[in-house]
């Protein structure tokens, strides 16, 4: 099952590429043309507002970098001990800082 990261350099997709590299999960980087993406029906099925990043993992598709990071944590991070498994304080902290990073980075 191939992971595909839809993004372009210098975008919010950078944080997803970084996470995938840290997780050591193989993925395909699909560089989108920022100008043409609004008419890219295949991509709009993954990211309804046409923004990057978008990610597909087999049949599963996601948009919003914060949501993608939480998904990667659950799907690949727990088994690599890079994401807290159980619903304790460590996991709560991981979720809080992930959403913070996805939010603060977007407004600065
Ligand atoms: N909150 C979203 C922000 C997504 C976003 O704004 N992406 C920018 C690139 S950094 C984009 O696609 N810009 C094109 C546009 O706004 O039309 C996330 O974190 O994924």
């Amino acid at each position: 099952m191939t992971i595909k990261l839809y993004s372009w350099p210098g975008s919010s997709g950078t944080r997803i590429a970084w996470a995938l590299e840290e997780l050591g999960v193989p993925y395909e980087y699909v560089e989108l043309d920022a100008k043409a993406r609004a008419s890219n029906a295949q991509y709009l099925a993954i990211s309804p507002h046409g923004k990057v990043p978008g990610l597909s993992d087999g049949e599963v598709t996601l948009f919003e970098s914060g949501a993608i990071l939480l998904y990667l944590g659950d799907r690949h991070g727990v088994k690599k001990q890079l994401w807290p498994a159980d619903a304790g304080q460590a996991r709560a902290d991981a979720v809080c800082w992930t959403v913070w990073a996805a939010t603060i980075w977007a407004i600065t």
Side-chain angles (χ1 to χ4, degrees), residues 74-95:
D74 284 341
R75 181 87 175 72
H76 300 285
V78 172
K79 59 179 171 237
K80 296 189 180 232
Q81 288 147 346
L82 288 171
W83 188 259
D86 61 46
Q89 189 56 52
R91 185 183 182 84
D93 293 344
V95 170

Side-chain angles (χ1 to χ4, degrees), residues 10-87:
S11 77
S12 308
T14 308
R15 60 184 72 137
I16 308 304
W18 184 2
L20 289 163
E21 295 291 337
E22 291 288 342
L23 287 164
V25 174
Y27 65 101
E28 182 189 339
Y29 187 95
V30 181
E31 184 166 335
L32 293 182
D33 172 347
K35 296 190 189 59
R37 77 204 141 69
S39 55
N40 179 337
Q42 190 222 350
Y43 185 61
L44 292 174
I46 293 170
S47 178
H49 50 35
K51 293 179 186 278
V52 295
L55 185 123
S56 61
D57 184 3
E59 300 303 305
V60 177
T61 63
L62 299 116
F63 60 96
E64 281 295 331
S65 56
I68 296 170
L69 291 170
L70 296 175
Y71 170 82
L72 291 173
D74 284 341
R75 181 87 175 72
H76 300 285
V78 172
K79 59 179 171 237
K80 296 189 180 232
Q81 288 147 346
L82 288 171
W83 188 259
D86 61 46

